Amino acid sequence: MAGLWTGAAALAAAGRRGRWWPHPLIRSVALWTVKHDPHHSRLYLVASRTLCSAGYDSSENTFDKILIANRGEIACRVIKTCKKMGIKTVAIHSDVDASSVHVKMADEAVCVGPAPTSKSYLNMDAIMDAVRSTGAQAVHPGYGFLSENKEFAKRLAAEDVIFIGPDTHAIQAMGDKIESKLLAKKAKVNTIPGFDGVVKDADEAVRIAREIGYPVMIKASAGGGGKGMRIAWDDEETRDGFRFSSQEAASSFGDDRLLIEKFIDNPRHIEIQVLGDKHGNALWLNERECSIQRRNQKVVEEAPSIFLDSETRIAMGEQAVALAKAVNYSSAGTVEFLVDSKKNFYFLEMNTRLQVEHPITECITGLDLVQEMIRVAKGYPLRHKQADIPINGWAVECRVYAEDPYKSFGLPSIGRLSQYEEPIRLPGVRVDSGIQPGSDISIYYDPMISKLITYGSDRTEALKRMEDALDNYVIRGVTHNIALLREVIINSRFIEGDINTKFLSDVYPDGFKGHQLTETERNQFLAVASSLFVASQLRAQHFQDHGNSRVPIVKPQVASWELSVKLHDEIHAVVASSRGPTFSVEVDGSKLNVTSTWNLASPLLSVNVDGTQRTIQCLSREAGGNMSIQFLGTVYKVRILTKLAAELNNFMLEKAAEDTSSVLRSPMPGVVVAISVKPGDLVAEGQEICVIEAMKMQNSMTAGKTGKVKSVHCKAGDTVGEGDLLVELE
C-alpha cells in the first residue's frame, strides 16, 4: 500500500450518532472524527493525530464508474478514493505504461497510444473513445495533461460525461494568466504589476521589460508547473527567455503565448487551497508554503506556513474565495500568491485542478479532496462551513524525483528501479506513488518517483519524521534527490523559517555538494564503514569455514584489524576489533563503539554509534575495498584496505583523468531540440551549442571554453543519453 489512509463508512449516520470510528488500517496514529453539534446542526471536523481521514457515506449516490485521464501517482491516488467510495475505475495508459501500477489498480484499463504524451495522454480522440467503450460516467483528469484543457471538458459535456473539475468558463478564465489577472483585479485581489496582453515577439518583450523595470518574469499564458517560465535581468536574458519560454509552452501546453510581469525579488510562494460547489458555496482550506523550488518547480512544501499570522492568512483566504466566486468556481482549486518580507501578498495564478501538494492540506484539515471533487461534480453541496475547517498539526511534503541533485539541483535521471521500499512502516508517514520494484523511469514523463509526506503534532515533529523517512527510503536503479531533500529540511535557515523562492541558490551558490560532514560525523561515518568492512570479512570467513573445500582452511586469529580508509582524497588510519555485535573502532585517535545486527543482506541497517542511532544504506561493496554508503542522506564513496594491501597499493599507477574541456556531453537523457553550431565555427566560452529537452524542460548546453568546432555528433530530433558526446572542439 502506497500510503496510510483512514476513513469511515456512513459518515452522515455516524455523525448523527456522534460516534468515534475505529478502523483496521490504524497503526500508531489516531483517527480523525466527525462530531455532531446539536446547537449548530452541522458536522464539525474534530482533529486528532492522523495522516488523512474522510467519511465515506455508502448510501450517498455518486458515480458507478470514473475514468482517470492521467497516469502515475495521481492516477493511483484518485483510484484509492474511488475504491473507498465504491466507484469502479478505468485507467488509460500508453503502450510503455501497460504494466504500470495505476493500470493494475484500476478495474479496467485502455491503451490510448504510444509513449509520447501528444499521442497518448494528450490524445483527446483516443481518450474519448475509451470513455465511450467503457461507459464511464465521469472523468477525473488529475493534474497536468488535460486537467486544465477547456476543449476536453467541452467534449465530455457534449456526450453527457461529467468532468470532475470546474466548468469550462472557470478553466478558461483562470487557466489563462492574462485573463485571470484582469479578473483578479476586478475581484479586488492584490496583483503584481505587469503587462496584461500577449507578448508578440522578442523585440516587444524587451520593450515591455524595460517599461516594467528589471527584473521581470516571462511566463506562459497557459499551463503551470514551472514550465515556460524564465527570469530576465537584462535585454539579452529577455530575448533568450522569450525563445525558451515560448518553446517550452508550446511543447507542454500546445500554446506558446507569453506574458511579462514584475519579478518580486526574494518572495515566498504561498498558496491557498479553495473548494467550491455548484450552489454558490466556497471555502478556503488554509495555506501551503511552497517556497523551496528549483527552476520554478516546487521541491519541499509544508502546511501551514510558519510565516503567516492569523490576520494575513484570513486576508489571503478571503481574497482567494472572492476570486473563486467571481468565476463561479466549483471544485478543488488553488490560488497562488507571492508574499514579500512584509507580508504583502500578490496574486500569481489560479490552478483549476488538484495540486501535486494537496496531501499536506488533507493532513491538517482531515478532508479528502478527491472525494470532495467527486461529490461536487455530482452536484452535492459542500458538507462544511468555513468555521469547521481546522489547522491541526503540521505536514511536510518532499517531492522525491529521479534526478541528480548535484547537477543544477536536479537534472533528470532514467533507469529501472532494481530495488524499492517506501518507509510507510514509520509513524506519521504517507507515500503517494505510482511505481513498484521493476518500474521504469523514462524520458517520456515527469521524473517524480513519489510524494513523501510526514505529519506531526507540530513542525518539529513533522520535520523529524521526514528526516527519518528519508533515511529509511530505499531507491536503487536511478539517481534520486534524497540527499538534497534531507539537507533542506535540516538546514538552519529552513528550520527557522527564513526561506524564499531563491533558497537553494542562496544556500548553495556553487551548487549542491551533498552533506558536509562535521568532524564528529566524519569519525562516526569512518567507524561505521570500517565496521561494515570487517563484518563482511568475518562473514566471508564464516562461509569458507562451512564450505566443502578439500584443502583445510586455517582460520586466521585476528584480534584487531589495521585499516587504511580513503574518504575525499584523505587517508585515515583505523583500528577495529569486534566483540559480538559491537565493534570498537579507533579513528584518528578517537575511540567509538558501533553496534548493529550486521545483517548485510538488508538494504537498511540501523547502527548505534556511541549512543547515537543512525540508519544507513550500503549501496555497494567491492572486492577491491570500494564501498558506497548512504549516510545522513548523502552517498559517500570510500576505499577500505588492510594495512598490507594499502602499502602494496602505493605501487599501483594512477589512472589519468580525461580532459573534458574540449568535449560537450549531454548531462541528462533527452531529445536534441536544436543545434546552434556546425564544424568550423568559432565559439566563445559560455556560447550556446545546442538545446536539450528533458521531461518537457528546455536546457541550453554551452561551450566550456573558446575554440573551433571540430565535429558535431548529433542533430535535431536525436534522443541522447546521459554522457553521450554531442560536440567536440579543436
Side-chain angles (χ1 to χ4, degrees):
M1 186 176 67
L4 177 60
W5 286 78
T6 57
L11 167 67
R16 285 191 294 271
R17 294 190 298 270
R19 294 182 56 182
W20 295 74
W21 304 317
H23 194 279
L25 291 181
I26 301 172
R27 295 293 181 264
S28 58
V29 292
L31 179 66
W32 287 83
T33 67
V34 174
K35 275 187 172 180
H36 180 66
D37 187 327
H39 301 293
H40 293 81
S41 298
R42 65 174 181 247
L43 298 178
Y44 274 81
L45 290 170
V46 180
S48 179
R49 293 186 184 183
T50 185
L51 298 189
C52 180
S53 82
Y56 300 98
D57 186 352
S58 58
S59 65
E60 188 174 78
N61 180 39
T62 53
F63 301 103
D64 296 324
K65 185 184 292 186
I66 291 175
L67 181 142
I68 296 94
N70 217 299
R71 65 179 299 279
E73 65 86 13
I74 188 58
C76 295
R77 162 71 187 87
V78 175
I79 291 171
K80 287 175 188 174
T81 289
C82 287
K83 286 183 179 295
K84 290 171 182 174
M85 295 179 71
I87 301 170
K88 292 183 178 180
T89 54
V90 179
I92 62 168
H93 63 90
S94 64
D95 53 8
V96 298
D97 273 346
S99 299
S100 294
V101 175
H102 78 282
V103 173
K104 297 176 181 178
M105 286 181 63
D107 297 292
E108 301 175 57
V110 180
C111 182
V112 290
T117 56
S118 61
K119 299 178 180 178
S120 52
Y121 296 104
L122 292 174
N123 186 345
M124 280 190 263
D125 290 337
I127 296 173
M128 292 303 302
D129 287 341
V131 171
R132 296 185 198 101
S133 65
T134 59
Q137 300 164 308
V139 171
H140 196 300
Y143 53 73
F145 294 139
L146 298 172
S147 62
E148 294 176 285
N149 190 300
K150 65 180 184 300
E151 296 304 322
F152 182 54
K154 286 179 180 177
R155 290 186 64 171
L156 290 171
E159 300 200 21
D160 293 325
V161 177
I162 302 297
F163 179 77
I164 301 177
D167 62 28
T168 55
H169 166 67
I171 296 174
Q172 167 67 37
M174 293 293 100
D176 187 300
K177 292 182 176 65
I178 296 170
E179 186 176 350
S180 66
K181 189 173 180 181
L182 295 173
L183 281 166
K185 285 182 177 180
K186 189 175 180 180
K188 299 189 182 338
V189 177
N190 304 343
T191 58
I192 302 172
F195 178 69
D196 293 331
V198 177
V199 184
K200 297 176 183 177
D201 53 36
D203 289 337
E204 185 178 38
V206 169
R207 179 182 61 78
I208 293 169
R210 288 175 178 174
E211 290 176 358
I212 296 172
Y214 288 110
V216 297
M217 173 70 82
I218 303 168
K219 61 203 305 188
S221 177
K227 305 291 195 302
M229 296 177 67
R230 287 290 191 281
I231 300 168
W233 295 80
D234 54 38
D235 292 354
E236 183 180 353
E237 290 186 1
T238 298
R239 293 182 184 279
D240 288 343
F242 181 88
R243 177 163 63 100
F244 287 125
S245 291
S246 58
Q247 289 172 354
E248 286 178 6
S251 175
S252 297
F253 316 117
D255 184 344
D256 64 357
R257 294 177 303 145
L258 301 177
L259 60 90
I260 300 178
E261 62 190 18
K262 180 70 175 177
F263 176 65
I264 308 298
D265 203 11
N266 295 320
R268 288 173 178 263
H269 186 138
I270 300 178
E271 59 192 27
I272 301 290
Q273 176 71 58
V274 295
L275 182 65
D277 62 23
K278 299 179 186 299
H279 304 275
N281 304 307
L283 304 172
W284 52 275
L285 309 180
N286 304 311
E287 80 280 2
R288 296 186 287 256
E289 172 75 70
C290 306
S291 297
I292 308 299
Q293 305 180 0
R294 51 100 179 89
R295 297 190 300 281
N296 299 311
Q297 290 184 306
K298 302 160 191 172
V299 180
V300 178
E301 300 105 352
E302 58 183 311
S305 168
I306 193 174
F307 183 65
L308 293 192
D309 53 40
S310 178
E311 182 181 352
T312 308
R313 175 177 295 114
I314 292 171
M316 292 177 70
E318 289 178 347
Q319 286 198 18
V321 165
L323 182 59
K325 288 187 174 182
V327 291
N328 298 318
Y329 196 84
S330 59
S331 192
T334 301
V335 181
E336 301 192 351
F337 293 95
L338 290 181
V339 185
D340 67 20
S341 59
K342 297 180 180 179
K343 294 186 174 67
N344 298 309
F345 56 91
Y346 305 93
F347 171 71
L348 184 63
E349 63 181 349
M350 182 175 187
N351 291 304
T352 57
R353 53 172 167 80
L354 195 64
Q355 287 280 91
V356 176
E357 57 273 20
H358 75 272
I360 54 178
T361 294
E362 294 181 326
C363 287
I364 67 167
T365 62
L367 294 174
D368 180 336
L369 292 180
V370 174
Q371 181 199 10
E372 299 301 327
M373 292 177 75
I374 292 172
R375 292 187 72 259
V376 168
K378 187 63 177 177
Y380 290 106
L382 299 181
R383 297 178 292 173
H384 311 294
K385 303 297 182 183
Q386 190 64 58
D388 303 339
I389 306 302
I391 297 182
N392 180 262
W394 213 281
V396 180
E397 175 178 300
C398 284
R399 299 193 189 187
V400 181
Y401 281 103
E403 290 182 337
D404 186 345
Y406 300 94
K407 297 178 180 178
S408 300
F409 301 112
L411 292 184
S413 169
I414 61 172
R416 175 166 293 179
L417 291 165
S418 57
Q419 196 167 7
Y420 182 74
E421 292 182 16
E422 296 172 345
I424 56 175
R425 71 184 188 283
L426 301 178
V429 175
R430 164 179 166 180
V431 184
D432 281 17
S433 70
I435 57 172
Q436 60 189 357
S439 291
D440 283 314
I441 307 295
S442 74
I443 65 171
Y444 299 109
Y445 311 117
D446 188 274
M448 182 187 287
I449 293 173
S450 74
K451 300 182 307 198
L452 177 63
I453 303 105
T454 56
Y455 173 84
S457 58
D458 55 28
R459 189 171 187 258
T460 300
E461 184 176 44
L463 289 176
K464 181 61 176 71
R465 286 178 169 177
M466 179 60 74
E467 188 179 334
D468 293 340
L470 290 167
D471 284 341
N472 283 271
Y473 207 146
V474 178
I475 304 171
R476 309 282 170 83
V478 297
T479 305
H480 55 74
N481 67 335
I482 293 287
L484 176 63
L485 296 172
R486 196 182 189 282
E487 284 304 291
V488 168
I489 66 164
I490 67 170
N491 182 272
S492 58
R493 273 188 54 181
F494 180 84
I495 291 172
E496 293 165 5
D498 179 17
I499 60 177
N500 56 50
T501 56
K502 293 169 57 182
F503 177 87
L504 291 179
S505 58
D506 286 348
V507 174
Y508 309 106
D510 299 321
F512 180 66
K513 308 295 184 183
H515 182 73
Q516 304 303 300
L517 295 169
T518 64
E519 183 178 352
T520 299
E521 291 170 344
R522 184 202 65 191
N523 290 344
Q524 286 183 348
F525 173 75
L526 293 172
V528 169
S530 300
S531 300
L532 267 173
F533 175 82
V534 174
S536 64
Q537 296 296 312
L538 293 174
R539 187 179 72 160
Q541 290 179 6
H542 177 77
F543 285 137
Q544 288 176 339
D545 291 344
H546 289 80
N548 296 316
S549 174
R550 296 170 64 181
V551 179
I553 295 176
V554 179
K555 182 177 180 180
Q557 299 297 319
V558 180
S560 63
W561 298 67
E562 294 185 58
L563 305 174
S564 173
V565 185
K566 184 178 182 181
L567 172 67
H568 296 153
D569 295 325
E570 293 183 354
I571 305 296
H572 302 270
V574 176
V575 179
S577 58
S578 65
R579 298 189 309 275
T582 298
F583 285 90
S584 178
V585 185
E586 184 175 331
V587 181
D588 295 339
S590 299
K591 293 184 178 180
L592 302 94
N593 292 315
V594 184
T595 304
S596 178
T597 59
W598 304 112
N599 179 4
L600 302 183
S602 173
L604 294 170
L605 197 61
S606 179
V607 297
N608 187 293
V609 187
D610 281 350
T612 301
Q613 203 69 30
R614 304 287 192 194
T615 299
I616 68 164
Q617 299 184 37
C618 184
L619 306 183
S620 65
R621 286 194 314 275
E622 298 176 3
N626 292 318
M627 302 174 69
S628 292
I629 300 172
Q630 184 172 313
F631 179 79
L632 301 178
T634 294
V635 176
Y636 298 95
K637 294 183 178 181
V638 293
R639 188 174 192 186
I640 304 179
L641 300 172
T642 62
K643 184 178 180 181
L644 175 60
E647 291 172 352
L648 295 174
N649 188 63
N650 290 330
F651 296 99
M652 300 293 290
L653 295 176
E654 290 286 339
K655 183 179 179 180
E658 179 188 3
D659 179 13
T660 59
S661 63
S662 297
V663 297
L664 176 65
R665 297 184 181 275
S666 179
M668 78 211 94
V671 176
V672 179
V673 175
I675 299 289
S676 306
V677 299
K678 62 182 184 299
D681 286 354
L682 293 174
V683 295
E685 182 180 350
Q687 181 179 332
E688 180 178 291
I689 298 293
C690 64
V691 177
I692 304 291
E693 181 179 287
M695 276 75 172
K696 301 299 181 185
M697 294 294 286
Q698 304 265 331
N699 302 275
S700 177
M701 304 290 105
T702 59
K705 70 174 187 178
T706 298
K708 181 185 287 187
V709 177
K710 178 181 178 181
S711 57
V712 178
H713 296 267
C714 60
K715 62 182 183 300
D718 284 356
T719 298
V720 295
E722 182 179 353
D724 283 1
L725 181 62
L726 302 176
V727 174
E728 287 184 274
L729 302 179
E730 291 183 356

